[in-house]
Amino acid sequence: MSESRSAPVSDLPRAWPFEEARKLADHVGVRSTANGEDDARPALLETGYGPSGLPHIGTFGEVARTSWVRQAYTALTGRPSRLLAFSDDMDALRKVPDNVPQRDMLEKYIGQPLSRVPDPFGTHESFAAHNNARLCAFLDSFGFEYEFASSTQYYTSGRFDAALRRVLEVHDEILKVILPTLGADRRATYSPVLPLHPRTGEVMQVKMDAIDAAAGTVRWTDPSNGEVFETPVTGGHAKMQWKADWAMRWYALGVDYEMSGKDLIDSVRLSGRICKILGGTPPAGLTYELFLDEKGQKISKSKGNGLSVEEWLRYAPPESLGQFMFNQPQRAKRLYFDVIPKTADEYLTHVDKAKVLQAENSKGNDLRANPAWFIHKGHIPEDAGSPVPFSMLLNLASVANAETPEVLWGFIRRYDAAVSPETHPMLACLVKHAVAYYADFVRPAKTFRAPTEQERAALSDLAECLRGYEGEAADAATLQNLVFEVGKRHAFEPLRSWFTCLYEVLLGQKEGPRFGGFVALYGVAETVALIDTALLRETQV
């Protein structure tokens, strides 16, 4: 077996990219020793992109997750790899997107390859070129390492010619796989080959009258006028239907790994069968779950019921989006605004743990199982992380009614004079995001309630205890213990109901931070004033 054979499962870091890397290593090991010959090609990982629209949050997720598998594969085997970001820009324009200019102009090009459709934005030679450029800029902005590939370029340059000829040789076998999955009308016209009309350039979905594998051509009839054409499948004169196209690409390029969404399970299975018919081995891969909106419905680009990358990055740093994508890819997750604060703090927690392991020069698997190790490409920068959690900043913004970052920095500097935007750039980033998130989500939802008799007594007690610390330097742990003692003294059962009181009565929200840490950051005198204001409300019956 080749040196790419993976480590035993028990030796792997407990992180899903390493489990996927083991599958990839096994696949490469089989491929590299096939036919008794050593194939030393780098492992090829692929992601696909349909350039009829702009890059979206799913694009980020697939490239990020595949990149982490690649990172784990390198750590596991020491062998080289490549990541190919493949654009299906020879696909036909099926409908005009809602979010583009010159929609009437685009209507005239329905059925044309995207790479032949004019750019409605007027910045590139084609609609596909515009969206491909946006894809590359999008991926570059996150620092992904990849190679861009254009379907049009691969078809027209002859890169797929040998594989396309092979498709003709096994044309009937491919039909036997695909036809049972189609309705009666579609079966009547289906062929894995889609010739381009020599006059109109349209991608034709028509039945093949004859297949000439030796000549590398197909014969077909134009349904609009009965004219018969003989079209070579090579040189960009034809392309494949997408399931056959996927299989042909795996076969032609020797793709070793490609992940895909749960909605493509059947397509992966069919393309895998076609790949084997062609004489190739389907790649290893991961089936990831789809994202859900705030109502638990599947996110749809056409419905616009999800959260965009731009929206996420308005409220939290890109590392937090990486954390969201890293978490349990095979489990459906809500992708909505309310997940952002928790995910941001989860990322910060992992950074703190990873820094400790990195400082200790940990040789075990703990560091490599940490999501921050993947998000930061194997090395955690010294200035990563934040001394103040994102949720704490949100609560500080809430009680201070912060409309600018400077308001929050006033409290932060008083809490720790050594902290500044220059010394803690991630904190500076979080402060800006917290102000934006507070303005858009926290402030509109704030609802204060009056305390009950029990809560009123406990709050008065807490205020009196806190006055004893005014003018002194009290740390968060001491203040947290004080809050606990007051809650116990007033017999809250369960004790968490005391903290619910603090959040709802003092902060106007259902959840909140460790209250001792909040007091230390906001200030003892300011917290006492907050309690005094709450006590002026009428007692809740």
Side-chain angles (χ1 to χ4, degrees):
M1 183 59 67
S2 164
E3 64 177 346
S4 65
R5 170 63 75 179
S6 63
V9 175
S10 59
D11 294 340
L12 296 177
R14 295 178 63 83
W16 67 264
F18 276 98
E19 297 174 4
E20 293 303 301
R22 178 179 57 81
K23 289 161 52 177
L24 171 58
D26 286 345
H27 184 280
V28 172
V30 172
R31 181 257 286 169
S32 65
T33 56
N35 303 318
E37 299 176 0
D38 182 48
D39 182 353
R41 286 183 292 122
L44 179 59
L45 299 85
E46 182 182 63
T47 64
Y49 169 66
S52 58
L54 299 178
H56 53 87
I57 204 159
T59 309
F60 172 88
E62 189 163 311
V63 177
R65 288 166 172 168
T66 305
S67 297
W68 294 329
V69 173
R70 185 184 180 197
Q71 181 178 334
Y73 174 78
T74 300
L76 189 65
T77 69
R79 295 193 59 161
S81 63
R82 300 166 54 212
L83 172 56
L84 196 66
F86 198 95
S87 170
D88 290 306
D89 58 9
M90 203 166 169
D91 285 357
L93 177 66
R94 297 300 177 198
K95 65 177 183 178
V96 177
D98 295 330
N99 59 345
V100 298
Q102 301 192 65
R103 298 184 74 248
D104 290 342
M105 178 273 289
L106 290 178
E107 288 284 354
K108 303 173 184 177
Y109 291 90
I110 295 292
Q112 293 283 325
L114 291 163
S115 52
R116 296 186 181 182
V117 175
D119 177 17
F121 298 92
T123 59
H124 293 77
E125 63 274 17
S126 70
F127 188 31
H130 174 90
N131 287 337
N132 286 341
R134 292 288 299 272
L135 169 68
C136 292
F138 176 81
L139 299 181
D140 291 345
S141 69
F142 291 104
F144 290 123
E145 297 177 5
Y146 67 97
E147 302 169 33
F148 174 78
S150 158
S151 175
T152 298
Q153 196 277 328
Y154 273 45
Y155 270 106
T156 58
S157 69
R159 185 80 176 266
F160 287 151
D161 281 0
L164 294 169
R165 286 179 173 274
R166 177 60 181 158
V167 167
L168 296 189
E169 293 173 357
V170 295
H171 183 271
D172 291 346
E173 293 180 61
I174 294 175
L175 287 182
K176 291 177 182 178
V177 170
I178 296 293
L179 291 183
T181 69
L182 305 175
D185 292 343
R186 190 72 189 91
R187 281 199 302 269
T189 61
Y190 179 84
S191 170
V193 180
L194 300 176
L196 270 60
H197 199 294
R199 296 199 181 94
T200 67
E202 183 180 353
V203 180
M204 303 298 296
Q205 297 204 36
V206 293
K207 182 180 180 180
M208 296 299 104
D209 300 327
I211 302 293
D212 190 336
T217 61
V218 293
R219 189 168 72 245
W220 54 281
T221 302
D222 186 338
S224 67
N225 57 19
E227 188 174 1
V228 176
F229 294 95
E230 189 93 11
T231 300
V233 296
T234 54
H237 297 288
K239 72 175 299 294
M240 298 292 103
Q241 292 269 12
W242 89 268
K243 292 173 187 175
D245 184 85
W246 209 6
M248 181 275 297
R249 195 160 74 218
W250 290 345
Y251 167 72
L253 304 180
V255 176
D256 294 302
Y257 187 91
E258 183 160 2
M259 62 176 61
S260 55
K262 182 181 179 180
D263 55 335
L264 296 181
I265 288 177
D266 289 340
S267 299
V268 171
R269 178 177 56 83
L270 288 172
S271 295
R273 291 177 63 186
I274 295 171
C275 184
K276 290 178 180 178
I277 290 171
L278 292 171
T281 302
L286 169 74
T287 299
Y288 54 81
E289 266 286 2
L290 306 178
F291 300 128
L292 307 176
D293 65 12
E294 78 278 17
K295 298 178 182 178
Q297 302 297 312
K298 187 179 77 170
I299 283 177
S300 166
K301 285 189 294 181
S302 60
K303 293 180 181 178
N305 62 333
L307 183 64
S308 71
V309 172
E310 293 77 15
E311 287 171 326
W312 185 293
L313 297 183
R314 169 171 164 76
Y315 303 114
E319 292 86 352
S320 65
L321 180 56
Q323 178 69 57
F324 180 84
M325 293 298 174
F326 189 91
N327 292 340
Q328 299 174 304
Q330 291 176 291
R331 183 174 179 179
K333 297 192 292 292
R334 290 177 66 256
L335 177 57
Y336 206 63
F337 296 102
D338 57 1
V339 307
I340 293 176
K342 179 182 177 182
T343 307
D345 279 344
E346 189 176 359
Y347 158 73
L348 295 175
T349 298
H350 285 304
V351 165
D352 289 342
K353 293 178 180 178
K355 279 185 172 182
V356 172
L357 292 169
Q358 189 168 269
E360 295 172 350
N361 196 25
S362 173
K363 299 298 183 183
N365 286 333
D366 289 344
L367 177 58
R368 295 193 300 177
N370 189 308
W373 184 81
F374 290 94
I375 293 169
H376 288 286
K377 300 180 181 179
H379 181 77
I380 317 301
E382 288 187 11
D383 59 8
S386 168
V388 183
F390 188 56
S391 57
M392 188 76 78
L393 292 172
L394 285 177
N395 284 285
L396 182 60
S398 179
V399 297
N401 292 311
E403 296 185 357
T404 66
E406 287 69 27
V407 173
L408 298 188
W409 276 110
F411 291 97
I412 295 170
R413 290 191 181 95
R414 188 180 63 183
Y415 174 69
D416 187 344
V419 174
S420 71
E422 292 71 33
T423 61
H424 292 78
M426 176 56 75
L427 175 57
C429 179
L430 292 171
V431 165
K432 293 178 182 178
H433 290 309
V435 171
Y437 193 95
Y438 161 69
D440 291 352
F441 299 106
V442 178
R443 183 167 57 194
K446 285 174 69 172
T447 303
F448 296 93
R449 68 170 176 83
T452 65
E453 288 290 355
Q454 179 193 25
E455 292 169 344
R456 179 178 293 278
L459 288 169
S460 297
D461 190 359
L462 178 59
E464 191 61 33
C465 292
L466 287 174
R467 286 189 179 95
Y469 287 93
E470 289 183 5
E472 297 184 13
D475 59 60
T478 299
L479 294 169
Q480 182 73 3
N481 288 335
L482 172 63
V483 175
F484 265 106
E485 288 303 317
V486 171
K488 292 177 182 177
R489 192 156 57 236
H490 289 266
F492 281 90
E493 186 60 40
L495 187 58
R496 66 173 175 270
S497 63
W498 164 232
F499 290 94
T500 300
C501 156
L502 295 174
Y503 303 145
E504 294 180 351
V505 174
L506 301 184
L507 303 182
Q509 57 201 54
K510 296 295 184 182
E511 298 178 343
R514 286 178 61 84
F515 205 75
F518 169 76
V519 175
L521 180 61
Y522 184 51
V524 172
E526 287 78 4
T527 304
V528 171
L530 199 65
I531 296 172
D532 289 342
T533 298
L535 292 175
L536 294 176
R537 301 186 197 117
E538 292 184 6
T539 299
Q540 179 177 327
V541 179

